[in-house]
Amino acid sequence: MYDPFDLADFVVRRRLDLMELGVMIDTRTDFESFCALDLPGKAITPMFSHRHHDLLDQRARWICGMIGDEIVHIQAYRLIETGGATAEQALRSEFARIFGRPARRSDGNIADALARMSGRIVYHGDLWCHERLRGTGAGEKFGALGVASALMTFDPDYIVGFMEQPLAGKGFFFREGYFHIEPLGDGWRLGAPFLLETDWLVYCSRESVRKLVARDASLNRVRQPATRFEPKLMGNTSL
């Protein structure tokens, strides 16, 4: 059974693991600063640009990991409410706003699963980890923190993202909390130039993340013996 307190514990456990590596984590809403970041080997995508999206401070968050004064990790997530549209249609509109409408139309989907989703969708992306942390297990903890934080902040129906083949091939998506993966269709070619042909759509539902949290709690819960509470009477109790 899912308990909201277990979600808080899920986040705390991973933050403590990262603290053992010297990484301090916090959540931020200043996307002008996010887009201005100059990080080695990382180009910030326009999916979180304040130039293209309004109310980012209310509908989006980014996570920053630091060792001392150095940024060693970032990621971001943003709520998209599809209304009567599907996630496929909503993302196509997002891409058109950012990159312009394609010169020709594609009959294919970005990914078939997106055409089956609607409601409150969180787009999760721009995850980057400094090379000094690679091989430490920090990457999967960062990713799981992002998924859990998105659930905690926006309670979405689905969380979606795109993952490059080298990471997807190692099962990184699963360790982050994404239990579904699907190859991209033809639709991405005409709308999203930041994606690669070999990229994958990764996604999870609210229910699947809650199951992950409940299982994590079950595996980590320390069962304490029940103790009987007996109040002590103070002073003169005679009437």
Side-chain angles (χ1 to χ4, degrees):
M1 178 178 176
Y2 171 73
D3 185 332
F5 286 140
D6 289 340
L7 178 57
D9 291 341
F10 182 93
V11 170
V12 167
R13 275 192 287 274
R14 281 144 188 84
R15 290 186 74 178
L16 290 175
D17 287 343
L18 291 167
M19 286 175 64
E20 291 183 359
L21 298 173
V23 182
M24 303 300 294
I25 291 284
D26 66 272
T27 304
R28 306 183 181 189
T29 58
D30 180 3
F31 279 87
E32 289 191 34
S33 297
F34 179 77
C35 291
L37 291 174
D38 183 13
L39 302 170
K42 172 60 180 173
I44 305 296
T45 71
M47 292 297 288
F48 298 97
S49 172
H50 59 283
R51 297 186 181 91
H52 301 292
H53 306 289
D54 298 328
L55 304 176
L56 278 177
D57 59 329
Q58 300 176 30
R59 304 177 67 84
R61 301 287 188 274
W62 66 281
I63 296 173
C64 183
M66 302 190 71
I67 296 179
D69 295 328
E70 181 184 12
I71 294 177
V72 295
H73 167 72
I74 62 164
Q75 60 179 304
Y77 55 88
R78 180 165 61 85
L79 177 65
I80 301 170
E81 295 186 275
T82 68
T86 65
E88 169 79 23
Q89 293 165 330
L91 274 180
R92 281 182 179 272
S93 296
E94 294 278 327
F95 294 158
R97 182 185 303 118
I98 296 170
F99 304 109
R101 296 200 174 274
R104 61 186 180 87
R105 178 179 174 80
S106 170
D107 293 328
N109 291 325
I110 299 169
D112 291 341
L114 293 173
R116 300 189 294 269
M117 298 179 198
S118 61
R120 294 171 64 83
I121 310 295
V122 160
Y123 172 77
H124 179 207
D126 274 291
L127 192 150
W128 170 85
C129 182
H130 196 285
E131 60 181 6
R132 66 193 282 191
L133 289 174
R134 292 170 189 169
T136 64
E140 61 194 61
K141 292 179 176 64
F142 287 136
L145 266 177
V147 170
S149 180
L151 180 66
M152 185 180 290
T153 306
F154 295 122
D155 191 31
D157 296 296
Y158 296 94
I159 303 171
V160 305
F162 298 104
M163 186 171 288
E164 295 181 2
Q165 170 60 34
L167 291 176
K170 296 177 182 177
F172 190 75
F173 63 94
F174 183 79
R175 296 194 295 274
E176 281 191 354
Y178 288 109
F179 298 111
H180 305 279
I181 184 169
E182 185 174 296
L184 298 186
D186 293 334
W188 70 270
R189 297 173 183 272
L190 304 179
F194 69 93
L195 295 176
L196 302 174
E197 185 172 4
T198 54
D199 285 353
W200 296 79
L201 172 77
V202 293
Y203 64 98
C204 54
S205 66
R206 177 194 295 119
E207 289 73 20
S208 64
V209 180
R210 286 180 172 180
K211 288 178 182 178
L212 169 66
V213 168
R215 180 181 180 184
D216 186 76
S218 178
L219 293 173
N220 286 279
R221 188 172 289 119
V222 177
R223 299 188 179 277
Q224 299 288 348
T227 57
R228 182 178 177 182
F229 174 67
E230 297 181 354
K232 295 182 179 180
L233 300 179
M234 306 297 291
N236 185 358
T237 60
S238 61
L239 297 177

